[in-house]
Amino acid sequence: MHRNTPKNAAYSYVLPTLMTIAPATLLAAPKSTDDVRPGTVLYKKLSGASASELKGLNSLLNSQGLLAEKTLPNSGITIATFNGKGREKAIAKILKHSGLVEFAEADQAMAPTVQPNDPSFSGQWHHNNINSQRAWDVTTGSNSVLVAVCDTGFDADHPDLAANLRTDLAYNAEEGTSYIEDANGHGTGTAGTIGAVGNNGTGLAGVNWNVDIIPVRIAISDTNSSAYISTMAKCIEYAADNGARVVNLSYGGIQSATIDAAAKYLRDRNGLLFMSAGNSGTEYPTFPDYTSFVGVGATDQNDNKAYFSDWGTYVDLTAPGVSIGTTYLNGQYINYSGTSFSSPVVAGVAALMVAANPGISADEIENGLFSTAKDIGANGDDIVFGHGLIDAQAAVNYAMNLGNYTAPVASISQTSSSVTFGSAVTFSGAGSTDGDGSIVAYQWNLGDGTTSSQAEVSHIYDAAGTYQVSLTVTDNDGLTNSATTLLQVTNEVPVAVIDSMVTSYNIGDTAFFSASGSYDNDGKIMQYAWDFGNGDSASGQSVNYAYPTGGSYTVTLTVTDDAGALNSTSINVTVDDPMALTAPQNLSAAANGLDVTLNWTNMNNNADYFFIERAVKFRGKTRYESVGTAVAGSTEYTDSVPFADNYWYRVTAVNASYEATSASIQVSVSETSDQPAPQPGTMAAPGNLSASQSGNTVYLSWADNSGDELGFYLERGVKQKGKIQFERIAVVGQNITTITDDANVLASGNYAYRVQAYKDGEVSAYSNTFELRLK
């Protein structure tokens, strides 16, 4: 029951026409994502850890392939990066169960918790349901109150928002810049819910008419509105360091221990974080009920739970979240639905409380919000509505009259701060006090999903790890207060051992992996998990595996003991492919007249043959064409070029499975030679040359008029300024009178072809020239 009720004065506020935007085009909700930042794990060291514990932690980190670490300077959150990707959650689990950290989790990308627009409602109905107008009788906010918004970005020029944005403090926590433009609209909407300028004859009004909003963009990019947990933590620290009394984070991740650590730092600086509960319409019974920040669910116009609002013990308060009128991109307005807009409603009321009483503490803000909320669910703090529906009028009056009554003080004592696995620990709240009354209710959350309403509770935990235990006490005035403590449940980590083995194989060979040397000093190993380094895995103390492809692989063994503790070790395995080829080495070229002799070092005994390619530059491009082949084992090939020029060559080793190409070499060819070039003799020239194009293929044919040739030279030229410069593009064998040319590699233009017969020391005259237009 509220102890102070202000005068029942009516407040008149005229709302301009709300311009809604079609939900099918602009209000589709981003899906929740489980994307993990590759190779990244977040954790926090135990406070007061001994030197030996820190050494053990460093050894464990290095065993998992640690590359680098960065610790946020104030909250103590460490961002660790590891070699490889795909094992982020496994590494976090190993760290969490080691007993050496407060928490560990993968760095996941979370989506803003927005829902599709409900076009059936318009106007700012939510102000009536939370008594905003009566709160405004006391205060409409103050520009001396700093509120940080961590979101997708902001329309900094919006006529109904710009005056309340502190753009001098603008920060992009993902990029480390001051770029805060909003490509999504979500951030502009949450900021407007808190502080759209009121009573200015424009648009609509936020919960605060006047407030200083620190705009912090956390979105991954303009095209990806999700944000990594580490970026959220950076935003919270930035807000705390710049004096924010209130921070709103309308994103997923309410279950994150990293967010809890950052929120604790903010709270130590007298600031309070508000987060949205989520929009899948689902209960999450295993989510921790962190006491460092306030989780907010959504209600509809009839003060019922919104159909999309998630629930669980982590929900502390509810606020309107259906069809909330607010600011949007390009100076527009919109109706948004989702817990994303319930959270800034509550954050806005918290800012009004600070405006009404600048000396109010973060604990007093939370106590005031909880104790003055309208109880609309099960009696007391329930899992659907938390403490109830936010009441702006009552909360502001609580802040104004804070000195008239005293909130209780929660205190936790425990039999030990560290117990071995399987041992009981007892927590007591008997030391909690209330200066002007008595404690009437105790509510425990033991950190593993267990709750109790007794003043004292004894419990045995099912697994080793670090647990955050919270106690909320309620006094006879309905005011509440909370306290937290940490408990370590320890056991000795098992030792993972991969038995001595052969580490070099061919494709298809069976490798035998054994972990018989693994052990656990205080229990037994229950599970052996193998990761073969190529995406395949297996379980069992010993396993057989044959690699299907060659390469170097890191095989990881992870063992789990009967207390749930894990540890890992790795070994490197090399798999050779007998068919793999090495490119020809030491390629060289020597020109003698128009003959070019190539030499190379053959690195293979499994090459079936070599094919030789030649190229010249044409219009600035180098185009390679095959000029011949050499048999297996060859180290030399002679090519006859059509004319003097600069040429490039490369040689490729080939077998049934692979190809391997040498580096290219350039050679300059001149007409000078000790040997006379073949001269036209008595051989009859080919005739009736014709060509046609079909798609990317040119088909050529001619008549064989000589009868004793060894083969034919085919030449192609491009016609430019009435002249044709030919080059030899192919050599074909005796009696062959057809060939194809690949036009796909040629630029559009006029081309010409001609054919010449040859035999030892003699060539015929050229055939007729056939011109063709290639498109």
Side-chain angles (χ1 to χ4, degrees), residues 460-477:
I460 297 176
Y461 288 85
D462 292 335
T466 304
Y467 296 90
Q468 178 175 275
V469 178
S470 65
L471 168 65
T472 299
V473 295
T474 305
D475 68 9
N476 59 309
D477 296 316

Side-chain angles (χ1 to χ4, degrees), residues 677-683 756-757 761-766:
Q679 298 297 316
T682 61
M683 295 177 65
Q756 184 182 40
E762 184 180 346
V763 293
S764 74
Y766 286 105

Side-chain angles (χ1 to χ4, degrees), residues 398-417:
Y398 170 95
M400 289 291 292
N401 296 282
L402 191 58
N404 294 340
Y405 50 90
T406 303
V409 177
S411 177
I412 300 174
S413 63
Q414 59 200 92
T415 53
S416 177
S417 61

Side-chain angles (χ1 to χ4, degrees), residues 113 148-151 186 218 227 232-233 235-236 247-253 259 273-276 340 343 347:
T113 50
V149 178
C150 307
D151 220 297
H186 186 271
I218 61 175
M232 300 180 197
C235 174
I236 297 168
V247 178
N248 187 77
L249 179 57
S250 290
Y251 267 71
I259 298 297
L273 173 67
F274 296 84
M275 281 197 75
S276 50
S340 273
S343 182

Side-chain angles (χ1 to χ4, degrees), residues 690-701 714 716 729 738-746 751 753 770 772-775:
S690 65
S692 63
Q693 183 183 7
S694 178
N696 291 324
T697 303
V698 176
Y699 296 90
L700 298 113
S701 64
L714 176 66
R716 180 183 64 218
I729 62 171
T738 61
I739 194 170
T740 60
D741 187 23
D742 184 7
N744 187 47
V745 299
L746 302 177
Y751 290 83
Y753 292 90
F770 193 98
L772 186 68
R773 173 70 178 177
L774 297 182
K775 299 180 178 180

Side-chain angles (χ1 to χ4, degrees), residues 583-588 624 648-651 660-666:
Q585 304 291 307
N586 307 316
L587 179 63
S588 63
Y624 281 93
W648 285 259
Y649 286 91
R650 62 190 184 190
V651 179
T661 302
S662 71
S664 298
I665 188 170
Q666 182 182 0

